[in-house]
Amino acid sequence: MDYEGPTAEDLRNIRALNATFLRATNPCDQALDNGVSDRPLTEMQVRRLSEAPFLLFSFREQDAEYWKRLIADDPQKDLLQPAVTVSEQIHELQVAGLGFLWQLSRRNPYVARLACGAPAKWCESIARLTLVGLIRRAANRGDLTLPRFRTGDHVGHRLLQSGVSARLHLQRMSQQFALQAMLTRSSPPHYEELPAAACRFPQAVRRVADRDPKKDPEV
């Protein structure tokens, strides 16, 4: 089966969303740890890092229970969890990011999964909602947007070092390495509530698509 890859417009939107996320979470603003740097990024570093061909932030796509509660027909707020205030910048990011992934999940779920490492069921779930319904349920959530890689993680460290390099080949190698790590993680990340939220991405140990052990000697 042939799959249509991301278009130039898809990549342009991913870059724009990444830049918005990095600016909104730059440590100097103290809005939300971006999971990559614990010190302010320069504008040039933001532009270079935002070139990554995937979203640097997560909407907790792997957290099936979280999204099951979120998109329930009669969603109930968890009264045991303290409310988390979402900033205007993060709210705008969530509206734009959810809208982007919603239309991708309807038009090309393969590219949606490449953009955020989401399982197919997650794409199907949000695609069944209207855009208004999705935004109404999720855009104001203060516990929705999390950094894809935590500060100090080996992938995040490499992104911070060579992912912002002026040497284009180093920048691209680092970002492709991070993309592979996102797509080949062995298990869903452990999600924590903000403000100590972080996505844990273990080293890649298997491919997204299951291999046939009879055909693939590496298995």
Side-chain angles (χ1 to χ4, degrees):
M1 181 181 294
D2 294 330
Y3 293 97
E4 179 185 350
T7 65
E9 188 66 17
D10 293 333
L11 294 174
R12 193 164 76 92
N13 277 296
I14 289 173
R15 290 194 296 269
L17 289 167
N18 281 338
T20 299
F21 170 71
L22 291 173
R23 293 186 181 110
T25 60
N26 219 1
C28 60
D29 297 328
Q30 294 298 316
L32 169 67
D33 177 14
N34 61 31
V36 177
S37 176
D38 56 2
R39 62 180 184 272
L41 298 171
T42 67
E43 183 58 28
M44 181 60 71
Q45 288 175 323
V46 166
R47 288 201 294 270
R48 289 171 180 166
L49 194 53
S50 67
E51 291 289 324
F54 61 91
L55 296 178
L56 294 171
F57 56 93
S58 167
F59 285 141
R60 302 176 64 154
E61 303 91 353
Q62 296 284 340
D63 194 336
E65 286 303 313
Y66 176 88
W67 275 94
K68 182 179 179 180
R69 295 192 302 270
L70 194 61
I71 65 177
D73 290 336
D74 184 22
Q76 298 293 320
K77 293 183 178 180
D78 189 344
L79 299 179
L80 298 179
Q81 294 293 333
V84 181
T85 302
V86 60
S87 70
E88 182 177 351
Q89 288 176 305
I90 296 300
H91 177 261
E92 291 178 354
L93 174 70
Q94 290 179 172
V95 171
L98 288 168
F100 174 66
L101 292 175
W102 177 83
Q103 61 86 20
L104 262 188
S105 295
R106 291 188 163 209
R107 174 173 60 82
N108 192 337
Y110 172 70
V111 173
R113 298 180 68 189
L114 285 178
C116 63
K121 287 186 177 180
W122 184 84
C123 295
E124 293 168 1
S125 295
I126 68 168
R128 284 196 294 266
L129 297 171
T130 65
L131 179 57
V132 171
L134 176 61
I135 297 301
R136 183 174 296 160
R137 284 171 168 82
N140 290 315
R141 298 282 305 206
D143 58 351
L144 177 66
T145 301
L146 303 175
R148 195 165 294 284
F149 303 107
R150 62 180 179 176
T151 302
D153 178 85
H154 73 290
V155 180
H157 179 75
R158 181 166 175 175
L159 276 174
L160 180 61
Q161 297 301 313
S162 54
V164 297
S165 174
R167 301 169 70 176
L168 188 58
H169 72 286
L170 291 179
Q171 177 184 325
R172 288 180 174 173
M173 285 177 60
S174 174
Q175 293 171 1
Q176 290 294 330
F177 171 76
L179 174 63
Q180 182 182 28
M182 178 186 74
L183 295 177
T184 58
R185 61 178 174 265
S186 62
S187 60
H190 173 69
Y191 290 104
E192 298 173 355
E193 299 301 325
L194 297 178
C199 278
R200 305 181 192 277
F201 283 80
Q203 292 184 350
V205 297
R206 68 179 175 88
R207 298 187 184 279
V208 175
D210 294 333
R211 294 182 176 186
D212 186 342
K214 295 180 180 180
K215 298 180 181 179
D216 196 331
E218 293 182 17
V219 176

